[in-house]
Amino acid sequence: MSVSLSIEAQDGHARTGVLSTPHGAVPVPTFMPVGTQGSVKGLSPEEVAATGARVVLGNTYHLWLRPGAESVAEHGGLHRWSRWPHAMLTDSGGFQAFSLAKMCKRDDDGFEFRSHLDGRRCRLSPEEAVRVQRLIGADIQMQLDVCPPGGSAPPVLREACTVTTAWAQRCLDARTRADEVSAVEQAMFGIVQGGTDVALRLEHAAELASLSSNGRRFEGLALGGFSVGEPIPAMHEVLGEIAHRVDPMRPRYLMGVGTPRDLLVAIGAGVDMFDCVLPTRNARNGQALTRDGKITIKNARYKDDPKPLDPACTCPACAGGFSRAYLRHLFLCGEMLVLRLLSLHNLHLYGELVAGARAAIREGRFASYQKAWFDRLDAGDSA
Amino acid sequence: MSVSLSIEAQDGHARTGVLSTPHGAVPVPTFMPVGTQGSVKGLSPEEVAATGARVVLGNTYHLWLRPGAESVAEHGGLHRWSRWPHAMLTDSGGFQAFSLAKMCKRDDDGFEFRSHLDGRRCRLSPEEAVRVQRLIGADIQMQLDVCPPGGSAPPVLREACTVTTAWAQRCLDARTRADEVSAVEQAMFGIVQGGTDVALRLEHAAELASLSSNGRRFEGLALGGFSVGEPIPAMHEVLGEIAHRVDPMRPRYLMGVGTPRDLLVAIGAGVDMFDCVLPTRNARNGQALTRDGKITIKNARYKDDPKPLDPACTCPACAGGFSRAYLRHLFLCGEMLVLRLLSLHNLHLYGELVAGARAAIREGRFASYQKAWFDRLDAGDSA
């Protein structure tokens, strides 16, 4: 099998183990930095790997429109092109088609929209999503799905699940056909929708888990449609109800989430994989995430602060001895280096969070690990 | 002495040796990357050092206005603050006061201008330039000088030399007074003006070379007022006439110059030190400099080009296997990583150019080294 999960320890619903991929073993729980356009913004592949990341996410929508999936394929695929030697996952492009593109319309056959770059008319069907992701060549593809906004009415949520299931089958079938003519072995994950409706979520998860094509099922199951506008406590509650009930033999991937707190809750609920732009996007907006809460680096309180962002952190910004005062100066000057140092810092924090979680689960002390983080984050937020 | 030059080999007028500084030995000829606001744009100190650079230039004007020289001093000086372990040089601030600030007026006592940041009225005298540079704490200070634009009339050039000499003495005297109350030992370089008037240049160089205060002279002599609008062939010709006649016991520093071709000409004329924003600024504009001429990375001809910028280059962009096609993609997407990779590439080229020159001089083959570069650059430019 292209991608498979081996669980080595469990503590409550939290679990740790190894995801085997064609590009190496990935210890889970894992956080996947987002390399939107073929690059984790500002960072070299070595720097990304040094944060502990072993999977990077590429955005199909962006790469499809520019430079084009064929172009990426001609250069040997996204791994080779972007010099990332470890595992890689691509989303289906549907989420960006809906959120970024102009005049996006959905019908039974997929999305029709105009490119946000040049207005060109594009069509993203389940089959096209599979074809494009095959060309990009990540280790893991995602099915095309329908992701309704938070707070959608029950009929909207239900219809999204129905269409997502139909597209799931079409994606699996398209992969089967593509496999016949390709040497590339790619895993594919299904995407569970259902908003904050626990029963609908569980029903949809079971439905996707049962699908197959030519004897091959989804290698993993993702939880989509979270952190899309619903209240965060509601997300945490639903995750606690559903995550551990999603097929335990397959990796569970919570898409586009979230804060350190979200990760700790979701790991406790049984989630194995995460991606989110938050650590890198917030860094570019001048925000460092620490165990003691957020540091908005431009604040005057850091003007003469000789301390590193986090004295205990091993990232190049903190271990390198760059003071908050210096980082603030660079940020106020618009110097690129600070965006890179903050990005490294934030990704290191995420890397350390999941590495610590893996150790804690293995040692049967995940609840106290989680609580220690919550206590420090709470104290930091109220400081 | 705080900074001293030891010449180890000479080949024609070209020479190589070691500049001793409080922050280590600097092999010359050397190229000094510009860290305008306390950071070589986009690069970490380790990356800058890996290009072979052993001196970084800091801009006094910028650091004086933001965060303020006192603030830099409180953090232990610019070396410590910006985490640069090797030698450092600061300019006097005069050039930026004139070129960047608003409503700059000069009188006998210095420059009066309004900050380009907040309109605040500032005054930069020779004494203030020394005080501010002392606080910043580089290994080498530059005197405050008057730099007339290229093509200035003879009386303007002559007056600039007269005022520069007067300010040179005031800077030396101010250092003597500062030395009495400070533990910091800083070298200071004088700045030769005179435009393209060879006789005036030689006269001014001799004048500055003879100045002293309390028995201490300038530790080095710089050639200012080049590459300020005069024709490049005129600059090359004048350099050939004057550089080797500037006191051979002291380092000769050609300020703000230039292209790889300029460096090769100037090294042949007897120059030891260079700084220029060109390699980093051009990188941020998407231009890579190579032995075979310039690569404007956004050009369509690189769309499918799998080659590195320069197959023989050892920089992280080239040795890291990043293709021109990928770099072009990143540039078109506005991805930060490409600015960093191009900056590294260009600074590596400069580092390799001066390292190669040092070896060639030592081996008595500088003329053929220079010619080989010129031939490839010419072929590239005409390609």
Side-chain angles (χ1 to χ4, degrees):
Chain A
M1 191 143 55
S2 55
V3 161
S4 64
L5 179 69
S6 153
I7 291 298
E8 296 167 353
Q10 187 140 358
D11 181 11
H13 295 313
R15 57 200 209 151
T16 184
V18 171
L19 187 73
S20 302
T21 82
H23 285 86
V26 181
V28 295
T30 191
F31 179 78
M32 308 185 285
V34 180
T36 311
Q37 309 193 89
S39 150
V40 177
K41 289 189 189 298
L43 305 184
S44 72
E46 291 78 12
E47 286 174 327
V48 174
T51 69
R54 287 296 175 269
V55 191
V56 157
L57 185 143
N59 279 129
T60 291
Y61 172 86
H62 287 288
L63 295 166
W64 183 37
L65 296 188
R66 183 172 58 186
E70 284 78 4
S71 178
V72 175
E74 272 165 31
H75 289 282
L78 187 56
H79 282 98
R80 190 183 155 104
W81 196 50
S82 68
R83 316 303 295 163
W84 175 250
H86 306 291
M88 205 173 257
L89 177 150
T90 42
D91 60 11
S92 68
F95 191 81
Q96 274 81 25
F98 198 79
S99 59
L100 266 187
K102 290 182 271 191
M103 298 188 297
C104 184
K105 282 189 293 195
R106 173 164 68 83
D107 55 34
D108 284 351
D109 201 46
F111 298 102
E112 186 158 308
F113 57 92
R114 289 185 177 278
S115 157
H116 73 291
L117 295 175
D118 58 8
R120 176 161 50 103
R121 189 185 298 274
C122 303
R123 182 146 195 101
L124 186 63
S125 64
E127 291 74 17
E128 180 68 1
V130 171
R131 187 188 75 84
V132 169
Q133 290 185 81
R134 166 88 42 160
L135 286 167
I136 295 173
D139 302 87
I140 302 172
Q141 288 200 11
M142 299 303 298
Q143 73 149 105
L144 189 68
D145 68 323
V146 176
C147 177
S152 294
V156 174
L157 294 176
R158 185 159 290 279
E159 196 258 357
C161 289
T162 305
V163 177
T164 295
T165 300
W167 290 359
Q169 186 62 54
R170 284 172 61 178
C171 286
L172 286 169
D173 292 342
R175 176 173 65 165
T176 299
R177 289 191 298 276
D179 278 343
E180 288 168 13
V181 294
S182 168
V184 178
E185 171 121 339
Q186 283 179 301
M188 186 182 285
F189 285 15
I191 303 177
V192 178
Q193 293 290 348
T196 52
D197 181 331
V198 170
L200 183 58
R201 283 273 180 188
L202 291 174
E203 185 187 319
H204 196 226
E207 196 167 65
L208 293 181
S210 72
L211 298 184
S212 70
S213 174
N214 202 23
R216 201 161 164 208
R217 306 187 303 168
F218 284 125
E219 281 81 4
L221 293 162
L223 302 172
F226 279 113
S227 204
V228 288
E230 79 283 14
I232 295 303
M235 172 176 82
H236 290 178
E237 195 183 322
V238 174
L239 284 172
E241 292 289 330
I242 65 162
H244 67 281
R245 295 197 172 96
V246 175
D247 181 4
M249 305 300 289
R250 288 183 259 189
R252 302 164 181 152
Y253 160 29
L254 178 57
M255 301 182 78
V257 177
T259 64
R261 195 180 298 267
D262 293 336
L263 263 64
L264 290 158
V265 168
I267 291 170
V271 171
D272 307 307
M273 303 166 69
F274 302 89
D275 81 284
C276 194
V277 295
L278 190 142
T280 43
R281 178 175 291 167
N282 286 28
R284 295 197 306 284
N285 292 328
Q287 192 175 76
L289 306 167
T290 80
R291 287 172 175 77
D292 298 306
K294 297 170 187 165
I295 291 179
T296 301
I297 200 66
K298 75 175 174 192
N299 282 353
R301 63 193 289 194
Y302 304 118
K303 186 178 184 316
D304 297 312
D305 191 338
K307 291 193 296 295
L309 295 170
D310 177 348
C313 177
T314 61
C315 85
C318 296
F322 295 99
S323 66
R324 295 172 183 187
Y326 179 68
L327 295 173
R328 176 175 185 270
H329 165 72
L330 294 184
F331 190 79
L332 292 182
C333 292
E335 286 286 339
M336 271 194 290
L337 180 59
V338 66
L339 309 183
R340 178 176 159 201
L341 291 172
L342 292 179
S343 296
L344 283 170
H345 171 80
N346 287 353
L347 286 183
H348 269 265
L349 184 84
Y350 276 63
E352 289 170 14
L353 185 153
V354 292
R358 293 193 296 264
I361 295 165
R362 206 172 295 278
E363 295 160 18
R365 53 175 178 79
F366 181 72
S368 65
Y369 177 78
Q370 203 186 33
K371 182 172 183 308
W373 268 88
F374 288 158
D375 288 348
R376 277 186 71 171
L377 287 169
D378 288 341
D381 286 348
S382 63
Chain B
M1 190 143 57
S2 55
V3 161
S4 65
L5 178 68
S6 156
I7 291 299
E8 296 168 354
Q10 186 141 357
D11 181 11
H13 295 313
R15 57 199 207 151
T16 184
V18 171
L19 187 73
S20 303
T21 81
H23 285 86
V26 181
V28 295
T30 191
F31 179 78
M32 306 185 285
V34 181
T36 311
Q37 309 194 91
S39 149
V40 177
K41 288 189 189 298
L43 305 184
S44 71
E46 291 77 13
E47 286 174 327
V48 174
T51 70
R54 287 297 175 270
V55 191
V56 156
L57 185 142
N59 281 129
T60 292
Y61 172 86
H62 287 287
L63 295 166
W64 183 36
L65 296 187
R66 184 172 58 186
E70 284 78 4
S71 177
V72 175
E74 272 164 33
H75 290 281
L78 187 55
H79 281 97
R80 191 184 156 104
W81 196 49
S82 68
R83 316 303 297 165
W84 175 251
H86 306 292
M88 205 173 257
L89 178 150
T90 42
D91 60 11
S92 68
F95 191 82
Q96 275 82 23
F98 198 78
S99 60
L100 265 187
K102 289 183 271 191
M103 299 188 296
C104 184
K105 282 188 295 195
R106 173 164 68 84
D107 55 35
D108 284 350
D109 201 45
F111 298 102
E112 186 159 307
F113 58 92
R114 289 186 177 278
S115 157
H116 74 292
L117 295 176
D118 57 9
R120 177 161 49 103
R121 188 186 298 275
C122 304
R123 186 151 189 96
L124 186 63
S125 64
E127 292 74 17
E128 180 67 3
V130 172
R131 188 189 73 84
V132 170
Q133 290 184 82
R134 168 87 43 158
L135 286 167
I136 295 172
D139 302 87
I140 302 171
Q141 287 200 11
M142 299 303 297
Q143 73 149 106
L144 190 68
D145 67 324
V146 177
C147 177
S152 294
V156 174
L157 294 176
R158 187 159 287 279
E159 195 259 355
C161 289
T162 305
V163 177
T164 295
T165 301
W167 289 0
Q169 187 62 55
R170 285 173 61 179
C171 285
L172 287 169
D173 293 342
R175 175 173 65 163
T176 300
R177 289 191 299 275
D179 278 344
E180 288 167 14
V181 295
S182 169
V184 178
E185 171 123 337
Q186 284 179 301
M188 186 182 283
F189 285 15
I191 302 177
V192 178
Q193 291 291 345
T196 53
D197 181 331
V198 170
L200 184 57
R201 283 273 180 188
L202 291 174
E203 186 186 319
H204 197 226
E207 197 167 62
L208 294 180
S210 71
L211 299 183
S212 70
S213 174
N214 202 23
R216 200 159 163 208
R217 305 187 304 168
F218 284 125
E219 281 81 3
L221 293 162
L223 302 171
F226 280 114
S227 204
V228 289
E230 79 283 14
I232 295 303
M235 172 177 83
H236 290 178
E237 194 183 322
V238 174
L239 284 173
E241 293 288 331
I242 64 161
H244 67 281
R245 296 197 172 95
V246 175
D247 181 4
M249 305 300 288
R250 289 183 259 188
R252 301 164 180 152
Y253 160 30
L254 178 56
M255 300 182 79
V257 176
T259 64
R261 195 179 299 266
D262 293 336
L263 264 63
L264 290 158
V265 168
I267 291 170
V271 171
D272 307 307
M273 302 166 68
F274 302 89
D275 82 283
C276 195
V277 295
L278 190 141
T280 43
R281 178 175 292 165
N282 285 28
R284 295 197 306 283
N285 292 329
Q287 193 176 74
L289 306 168
T290 79
R291 288 172 175 76
D292 298 305
K294 296 169 188 164
I295 290 179
T296 301
I297 200 66
K298 74 175 174 191
N299 283 353
R301 63 193 289 194
Y302 304 119
K303 187 177 182 318
D304 296 313
D305 191 338
K307 291 193 296 297
L309 294 169
D310 176 348
C313 177
T314 61
C315 85
C318 295
F322 295 99
S323 66
R324 296 173 182 186
Y326 178 68
L327 295 173
R328 176 176 186 269
H329 165 73
L330 293 184
F331 190 78
L332 294 181
C333 292
E335 286 286 339
M336 272 194 289
L337 180 60
V338 67
L339 309 182
R340 180 177 158 200
L341 290 171
L342 292 179
S343 296
L344 283 170
H345 172 82
N346 287 354
L347 286 183
H348 268 266
L349 184 84
Y350 276 63
E352 288 169 16
L353 184 153
V354 293
R358 294 193 296 265
I361 296 165
R362 206 173 295 278
E363 295 160 19
R365 52 175 179 79
F366 181 72
S368 64
Y369 177 77
Q370 202 185 34
K371 183 172 183 309
W373 267 88
F374 288 158
D375 288 348
R376 276 186 72 171
L377 286 170
D378 289 342
D381 285 347
S382 62

PDB file of all heavy atoms in Angstrom, chain B residues 277-297:
ATOM      1  N   VAL B 277      25.225  47.685  -2.867  1.00  0.00           N
ATOM      2  CA  VAL B 277      23.926  47.039  -2.721  1.00  0.00           C
ATOM      3  C   VAL B 277      23.546  46.250  -3.967  1.00  0.00           C
ATOM      4  O   VAL B 277      22.555  45.521  -3.965  1.00  0.00           O
ATOM      5  CB  VAL B 277      22.802  48.059  -2.421  1.00  0.00           C
ATOM      6  CG1 VAL B 277      23.008  48.729  -1.073  1.00  0.00           C
ATOM      7  CG2 VAL B 277      22.694  49.093  -3.526  1.00  0.00           C
ATOM      8  N   LEU B 278      24.324  46.381  -5.029  1.00  0.00           N
ATOM      9  CA  LEU B 278      23.926  45.782  -6.306  1.00  0.00           C
ATOM     10  C   LEU B 278      23.582  44.285  -6.225  1.00  0.00           C
ATOM     11  O   LEU B 278      22.502  43.890  -6.679  1.00  0.00           O
ATOM     12  CB  LEU B 278      25.006  46.052  -7.354  1.00  0.00           C
ATOM     13  CG  LEU B 278      24.666  45.701  -8.799  1.00  0.00           C
ATOM     14  CD1 LEU B 278      25.227  46.751  -9.749  1.00  0.00           C
ATOM     15  CD2 LEU B 278      25.203  44.326  -9.169  1.00  0.00           C
ATOM     16  N   PRO B 279      24.432  43.445  -5.645  1.00  0.00           N
ATOM     17  CA  PRO B 279      24.082  42.015  -5.673  1.00  0.00           C
ATOM     18  C   PRO B 279      22.789  41.703  -4.927  1.00  0.00           C
ATOM     19  O   PRO B 279      22.008  40.859  -5.388  1.00  0.00           O
ATOM     20  CB  PRO B 279      25.292  41.324  -5.023  1.00  0.00           C
ATOM     21  CG  PRO B 279      26.067  42.415  -4.349  1.00  0.00           C
ATOM     22  CD  PRO B 279      25.767  43.687  -5.076  1.00  0.00           C
ATOM     23  N   THR B 280      22.540  42.384  -3.811  1.00  0.00           N
ATOM     24  CA  THR B 280      21.313  42.097  -3.067  1.00  0.00           C
ATOM     25  C   THR B 280      20.112  42.849  -3.634  1.00  0.00           C
ATOM     26  O   THR B 280      19.020  42.302  -3.734  1.00  0.00           O
ATOM     27  CB  THR B 280      21.505  42.407  -1.572  1.00  0.00           C
ATOM     28  OG1 THR B 280      22.218  43.648  -1.433  1.00  0.00           O
ATOM     29  CG2 THR B 280      22.321  41.320  -0.902  1.00  0.00           C
ATOM     30  N   ARG B 281      20.305  44.081  -4.070  1.00  0.00           N
ATOM     31  CA  ARG B 281      19.182  44.826  -4.633  1.00  0.00           C
ATOM     32  C   ARG B 281      18.732  44.205  -5.958  1.00  0.00           C
ATOM     33  O   ARG B 281      17.533  44.011  -6.182  1.00  0.00           O
ATOM     34  CB  ARG B 281      19.552  46.301  -4.837  1.00  0.00           C
ATOM     35  CG  ARG B 281      18.420  47.111  -5.463  1.00  0.00           C
ATOM     36  CD  ARG B 281      18.739  48.594  -5.542  1.00  0.00           C
ATOM     37  NE  ARG B 281      18.796  49.195  -4.215  1.00  0.00           N
ATOM     38  CZ  ARG B 281      19.319  50.390  -3.953  1.00  0.00           C
ATOM     39  NH1 ARG B 281      19.833  51.124  -4.930  1.00  0.00           N
ATOM     40  NH2 ARG B 281      19.321  50.878  -2.726  1.00  0.00           N
ATOM     41  N   ASN B 282      19.692  43.886  -6.813  1.00  0.00           N
ATOM     42  CA  ASN B 282      19.306  43.261  -8.078  1.00  0.00           C
ATOM     43  C   ASN B 282      18.601  41.931  -7.844  1.00  0.00           C
ATOM     44  O   ASN B 282      17.656  41.584  -8.556  1.00  0.00           O
ATOM     45  CB  ASN B 282      20.529  43.060  -8.977  1.00  0.00           C
ATOM     46  CG  ASN B 282      21.000  44.363  -9.589  1.00  0.00           C
ATOM     47  OD1 ASN B 282      20.799  45.433  -9.010  1.00  0.00           O
ATOM     48  ND2 ASN B 282      21.626  44.292 -10.743  1.00  0.00           N
ATOM     49  N   ALA B 283      19.052  41.199  -6.845  1.00  0.00           N
ATOM     50  CA  ALA B 283      18.396  39.930  -6.515  1.00  0.00           C
ATOM     51  C   ALA B 283      16.932  40.170  -6.187  1.00  0.00           C
ATOM     52  O   ALA B 283      16.045  39.452  -6.667  1.00  0.00           O
ATOM     53  CB  ALA B 283      19.100  39.263  -5.334  1.00  0.00           C
ATOM     54  N   ARG B 284      16.665  41.193  -5.413  1.00  0.00           N
ATOM     55  CA  ARG B 284      15.275  41.456  -5.024  1.00  0.00           C
ATOM     56  C   ARG B 284      14.447  41.936  -6.212  1.00  0.00           C
ATOM     57  O   ARG B 284      13.220  41.855  -6.192  1.00  0.00           O
ATOM     58  CB  ARG B 284      15.224  42.460  -3.868  1.00  0.00           C
ATOM     59  CG  ARG B 284      15.856  41.901  -2.584  1.00  0.00           C
ATOM     60  CD  ARG B 284      15.455  42.686  -1.357  1.00  0.00           C
ATOM     61  NE  ARG B 284      15.724  44.104  -1.466  1.00  0.00           N
ATOM     62  CZ  ARG B 284      16.920  44.682  -1.342  1.00  0.00           C
ATOM     63  NH1 ARG B 284      17.980  43.953  -1.102  1.00  0.00           N
ATOM     64  NH2 ARG B 284      17.056  45.983  -1.446  1.00  0.00           N
ATOM     65  N   ASN B 285      15.121  42.431  -7.235  1.00  0.00           N
ATOM     66  CA  ASN B 285      14.426  42.775  -8.477  1.00  0.00           C
ATOM     67  C   ASN B 285      14.394  41.609  -9.460  1.00  0.00           C
ATOM     68  O   ASN B 285      14.007  41.780 -10.616  1.00  0.00           O
ATOM     69  CB  ASN B 285      15.087  43.991  -9.131  1.00  0.00           C
ATOM     70  CG  ASN B 285      14.880  45.239  -8.291  1.00  0.00           C
ATOM     71  OD1 ASN B 285      13.868  45.382  -7.612  1.00  0.00           O
ATOM     72  ND2 ASN B 285      15.853  46.140  -8.316  1.00  0.00           N
ATOM     73  N   GLY B 286      14.830  40.435  -9.003  1.00  0.00           N
ATOM     74  CA  GLY B 286      14.723  39.247  -9.851  1.00  0.00           C
ATOM     75  C   GLY B 286      15.884  39.047 -10.795  1.00  0.00           C
ATOM     76  O   GLY B 286      15.755  38.343 -11.797  1.00  0.00           O
ATOM     77  N   GLN B 287      17.017  39.648 -10.483  1.00  0.00           N
ATOM     78  CA  GLN B 287      18.160  39.491 -11.379  1.00  0.00           C
ATOM     79  C   GLN B 287      19.292  38.701 -10.719  1.00  0.00           C
ATOM     80  O   GLN B 287      19.786  39.080  -9.668  1.00  0.00           O
ATOM     81  CB  GLN B 287      18.675  40.858 -11.801  1.00  0.00           C
ATOM     82  CG  GLN B 287      19.649  40.769 -12.968  1.00  0.00           C
ATOM     83  CD  GLN B 287      20.079  42.147 -13.423  1.00  0.00           C
ATOM     84  OE1 GLN B 287      20.863  42.802 -12.751  1.00  0.00           O
ATOM     85  NE2 GLN B 287      19.533  42.586 -14.542  1.00  0.00           N
ATOM     86  N   ALA B 288      19.672  37.628 -11.388  1.00  0.00           N
ATOM     87  CA  ALA B 288      20.828  36.852 -10.947  1.00  0.00           C
ATOM     88  C   ALA B 288      22.031  37.262 -11.769  1.00  0.00           C
ATOM     89  O   ALA B 288      21.928  37.457 -12.981  1.00  0.00           O
ATOM     90  CB  ALA B 288      20.559  35.363 -11.120  1.00  0.00           C
ATOM     91  N   LEU B 289      23.159  37.405 -11.100  1.00  0.00           N
ATOM     92  CA  LEU B 289      24.409  37.729 -11.781  1.00  0.00           C
ATOM     93  C   LEU B 289      25.197  36.437 -11.914  1.00  0.00           C
ATOM     94  O   LEU B 289      25.313  35.685 -10.949  1.00  0.00           O
ATOM     95  CB  LEU B 289      25.179  38.757 -10.960  1.00  0.00           C
ATOM     96  CG  LEU B 289      24.374  40.020 -10.618  1.00  0.00           C
ATOM     97  CD1 LEU B 289      25.081  40.845  -9.565  1.00  0.00           C
ATOM     98  CD2 LEU B 289      24.142  40.845 -11.875  1.00  0.00           C
ATOM     99  N   THR B 290      25.686  36.185 -13.113  1.00  0.00           N
ATOM    100  CA  THR B 290      26.486  34.977 -13.304  1.00  0.00           C
ATOM    101  C   THR B 290      27.746  35.335 -14.077  1.00  0.00           C
ATOM    102  O   THR B 290      27.866  36.433 -14.624  1.00  0.00           O
ATOM    103  CB  THR B 290      25.729  33.886 -14.094  1.00  0.00           C
ATOM    104  OG1 THR B 290      25.779  34.212 -15.489  1.00  0.00           O
ATOM    105  CG2 THR B 290      24.273  33.767 -13.644  1.00  0.00           C
ATOM    106  N   ARG B 291      28.664  34.386 -14.137  1.00  0.00           N
ATOM    107  CA  ARG B 291      29.891  34.571 -14.923  1.00  0.00           C
ATOM    108  C   ARG B 291      29.578  34.774 -16.401  1.00  0.00           C
ATOM    109  O   ARG B 291      30.394  35.293 -17.147  1.00  0.00           O
ATOM    110  CB  ARG B 291      30.796  33.355 -14.744  1.00  0.00           C
ATOM    111  CG  ARG B 291      31.444  33.274 -13.383  1.00  0.00           C
ATOM    112  CD  ARG B 291      32.165  31.953 -13.195  1.00  0.00           C
ATOM    113  NE  ARG B 291      32.879  31.909 -11.935  1.00  0.00           N
ATOM    114  CZ  ARG B 291      32.295  31.720 -10.746  1.00  0.00           C
ATOM    115  NH1 ARG B 291      30.998  31.550 -10.685  1.00  0.00           N
ATOM    116  NH2 ARG B 291      33.017  31.710  -9.637  1.00  0.00           N
ATOM    117  N   ASP B 292      28.381  34.329 -16.793  1.00  0.00           N
ATOM    118  CA  ASP B 292      27.990  34.480 -18.196  1.00  0.00           C
ATOM    119  C   ASP B 292      26.966  35.592 -18.378  1.00  0.00           C
ATOM    120  O   ASP B 292      26.170  35.561 -19.319  1.00  0.00           O
ATOM    121  CB  ASP B 292      27.435  33.147 -18.711  1.00  0.00           C
ATOM    122  CG  ASP B 292      28.486  32.056 -18.651  1.00  0.00           C
ATOM    123  OD1 ASP B 292      29.571  32.262 -19.217  1.00  0.00           O
ATOM    124  OD2 ASP B 292      28.243  31.022 -18.011  1.00  0.00           O
ATOM    125  N   GLY B 293      26.984  36.562 -17.500  1.00  0.00           N
ATOM    126  CA  GLY B 293      26.081  37.691 -17.644  1.00  0.00           C
ATOM    127  C   GLY B 293      24.856  37.565 -16.757  1.00  0.00           C
ATOM    128  O   GLY B 293      24.790  36.709 -15.878  1.00  0.00           O
ATOM    129  N   LYS B 294      23.890  38.439 -17.009  1.00  0.00           N
ATOM    130  CA  LYS B 294      22.726  38.550 -16.131  1.00  0.00           C
ATOM    131  C   LYS B 294      21.594  37.619 -16.546  1.00  0.00           C
ATOM    132  O   LYS B 294      21.370  37.399 -17.727  1.00  0.00           O
ATOM    133  CB  LYS B 294      22.202  39.990 -16.163  1.00  0.00           C
ATOM    134  CG  LYS B 294      23.170  41.010 -15.623  1.00  0.00           C
ATOM    135  CD  LYS B 294      22.684  42.418 -15.929  1.00  0.00           C
ATOM    136  CE  LYS B 294      23.741  43.451 -15.557  1.00  0.00           C
ATOM    137  NZ  LYS B 294      23.467  44.760 -16.163  1.00  0.00           N
ATOM    138  N   ILE B 295      20.876  37.142 -15.544  1.00  0.00           N
ATOM    139  CA  ILE B 295      19.660  36.369 -15.783  1.00  0.00           C
ATOM    140  C   ILE B 295      18.507  37.122 -15.148  1.00  0.00           C
ATOM    141  O   ILE B 295      18.464  37.292 -13.928  1.00  0.00           O
ATOM    142  CB  ILE B 295      19.778  34.961 -15.157  1.00  0.00           C
ATOM    143  CG1 ILE B 295      20.802  34.132 -15.938  1.00  0.00           C
ATOM    144  CG2 ILE B 295      18.422  34.274 -15.111  1.00  0.00           C
ATOM    145  CD1 ILE B 295      21.003  32.730 -15.387  1.00  0.00           C
ATOM    146  N   THR B 296      17.599  37.621 -15.988  1.00  0.00           N
ATOM    147  CA  THR B 296      16.382  38.243 -15.477  1.00  0.00           C
ATOM    148  C   THR B 296      15.356  37.133 -15.361  1.00  0.00           C
ATOM    149  O   THR B 296      14.795  36.672 -16.346  1.00  0.00           O
ATOM    150  CB  THR B 296      15.917  39.359 -16.416  1.00  0.00           C
ATOM    151  OG1 THR B 296      16.976  40.325 -16.514  1.00  0.00           O
ATOM    152  CG2 THR B 296      14.669  40.046 -15.892  1.00  0.00           C
ATOM    153  N   ILE B 297      15.135  36.703 -14.121  1.00  0.00           N
ATOM    154  CA  ILE B 297      14.502  35.402 -13.891  1.00  0.00           C
ATOM    155  C   ILE B 297      13.053  35.349 -14.363  1.00  0.00           C
ATOM    156  O   ILE B 297      12.535  34.275 -14.656  1.00  0.00           O
ATOM    157  CB  ILE B 297      14.637  34.987 -12.403  1.00  0.00           C
ATOM    158  CG1 ILE B 297      14.442  33.478 -12.233  1.00  0.00           C
ATOM    159  CG2 ILE B 297      13.688  35.771 -11.512  1.00  0.00           C
ATOM    160  CD1 ILE B 297      15.509  32.639 -12.860  1.00  0.00           C
TER     161      ILE B 297
END
